[in-house]
Amino acid sequence: MKKGRILSGMRPTGKLHLGHLIGALDNWVKLQDEYECFYEVAIWHALTDHLDTKNFQEDIYDMVRDWLAAGLDPKKSVMFIQSDVPEHAELHLLLSMLTPVPWLERCTTFKEKIKDMHIGKGDVSYGLLGYPVLQAADILIYKANVVPVGEDQLPHLELTREIARRFNYYYGRVGLHDRVGLHDNIFPEPRALLTSTAKLLGLDGRTKMSKSYDNYISLGDSAKEIQSKVQTMFTDPKRIKLKDSGHPESCNVYSYHKVFSSNEICPTLMGDCRQARIGCTECKKNLAKYIEKFLAPFQERQRKWKKDSIKVILDEGARKARAVAQATMEEVRKAMKIKKGDDL
Ligand code: TRP
Ligand code: SF4
């Protein structure tokens, strides 16, 4: 018996990096056995800050290939592209009527986004402002109970719950239109599930790996690329000469060792570093080897997934997702008295 339903998604940013695998994907993979899972390629969300669609198709396949190589299993999880389920757009439209503009303007992710994009409020598109409403539609249309996300997405989850509550209030069991209890609340309020695994910092020590900071190791990187990227990592700033004792607890390389060499080098590294028995160059070489070893089986699986079979999986996923989304939309239209016919 499954514990409930999950929906999560990623914008198609092309090939994924180690941060995606360690922070999010490995968690998605684990959840497949416990929950009924829907994983979405959030292609419309990508458009909210990126109008250039030249590489869209390639980016979708590259990302889903990495999902599959990480262990998402089409027999267990439904994987699909958002735009293959146009019902999301209809629900987004209806939910937008229930969402006050100040809720969206107050959203911290929105404020950060316009700062990052270096644009003024006057240049904000209607679509960007409505990003969380589209995300709410993604989640609610599957009546997901649980949404595995990173901390940065918590404001969107909170908004989703508020929108669900509003919808239920207006159109659900305790709603204005139906106080006698003819139908139940339509949308459950979903909760966020934060990843429990250690999060990888960026190679430069920033809080996360990101393509835009160029501080990542791609899941497809060769041994050579891994080695040279690891060599660029900052180490303990107080350790200048080889014989200076190190402070592994404040060294990013050490935090990576904890993830990739946990049972082997890591237990002795703490002492070796503090007592200056190992130099940083050697320590990084070791780390690069562990990352290579960690990625080798992943890269083998990556090579196995060809575009044709990915397409079949996404088509089949869209079919399954659509059946659920259509059923929810039927309920929504009925509850809102939009549907012509019996309720008139
Ligand atoms: N906004 C999410 C991100 O940038 C992606 C996303 C779109 C999503 N729709 C979703 C995540 C629904 C969870 C649920 O990471
Ligand atoms: Fe960091 Fe390793 Fe250098 Fe110690 S030896 S400071 S853990 S890179």
Side-chain angles (χ1 to χ4, degrees), residues 233-237 239 242 244-255 257 269-270 272-274 276-284 287:
M233 288 177 78
F234 295 124
T235 60
D236 172 10
R239 201 171 176 205
L242 191 60
D244 294 342
S245 64
H247 303 81
E249 59 292 341
S250 56
C251 173
N252 197 18
V253 176
Y254 183 75
S255 74
H257 266 292
L269 179 58
M270 177 78 81
D272 287 348
C273 172
R274 286 202 177 130
R277 282 195 296 259
I278 183 170
C280 295
T281 311
E282 188 190 341
C283 181
K284 288 186 195 171
L287 174 63

